[in-house]
Amino acid sequence: MAAPARAIEPQEQLADPALEHRARELGQELRCLVCQNQSIDDSNADLARDLRTIVRERLTAGDSDDQVLQFVTARYGDYVLLRPPFRTGTLILWFGPVVVLVAAILALMLRRRRRALAEPAPLSPEESRRLARLLDEEKGS
């Protein structure tokens, strides 16, 4: 099984294996704002490269993982996180797909109901004659 390709270039890697491991872990939590569905570790975009550099600089300066994430989200917002926090401002990210699905289901149900409640099709000539005969028989009784 092949491992996914990483966009990290050799000159970006830190000499300290522990710091590099932390940088890779953080890189998997941050979204490339250009590619949107890739982490910064998986993206070749210039912005992803810049974010990888910022992460490594902050780690080298002694920041904790949380401090690095706070620094990046302060600059780019919660959208930069691949798993955004559950807050009022991110509710659309969490519940938007569910709301759209429920709305689509309700629209389909209403459409079917409208069709069921619509006026019936007009009677065929044969059905009209039969109905007239039945009504005449009813009057004669």
Side-chain angles (χ1 to χ4, degrees):
M1 187 178 241
R6 300 283 185 224
I8 299 168
E9 297 177 17
Q11 66 270 18
E12 291 180 57
Q13 295 182 5
L14 297 171
D16 182 351
L19 282 180
E20 181 60 27
H21 177 73
R22 286 176 56 203
R24 296 284 178 105
E25 292 291 320
L26 290 169
Q28 289 299 311
E29 293 183 38
L30 297 171
R31 176 189 321 271
C32 172
L33 297 172
V34 175
C35 308
Q36 295 184 6
N37 287 327
Q38 286 184 319
S39 71
I40 62 170
D41 272 4
D42 297 329
S43 174
N44 285 322
D46 289 338
L47 180 59
R49 189 174 303 114
D50 292 344
L51 285 170
R52 288 193 301 266
T53 300
I54 289 170
V55 166
R56 283 168 173 76
E57 286 173 355
R58 301 303 301 181
L59 289 173
T60 304
D63 286 2
S64 69
D65 293 358
D66 287 337
Q67 288 172 320
V68 173
L69 291 175
Q70 287 173 3
F71 180 83
V72 174
T73 55
R75 286 188 169 191
Y76 297 98
D78 287 333
Y79 188 70
V80 76
L81 300 171
L82 282 170
R83 289 175 288 152
F86 191 77
R87 297 188 250 218
T88 306
T90 60
L91 287 178
I92 191 81
L93 296 173
W94 287 99
F95 295 114
V98 174
V99 169
V100 169
L101 179 63
V102 169
I105 290 170
L106 289 174
L108 288 174
M109 290 172 58
L110 286 173
R111 189 177 197 188
R112 285 185 182 170
R113 183 180 171 132
R114 282 186 194 145
R115 283 184 185 168
L117 295 176
E119 287 188 37
L123 297 176
S124 69
E126 182 181 324
E127 291 170 329
S128 295
R129 285 190 297 272
R130 184 170 178 230
L131 178 61
R133 250 183 292 138
L134 290 172
L135 289 173
D136 285 344
E137 289 175 8
E138 190 68 30
K139 285 181 189 177
S141 302

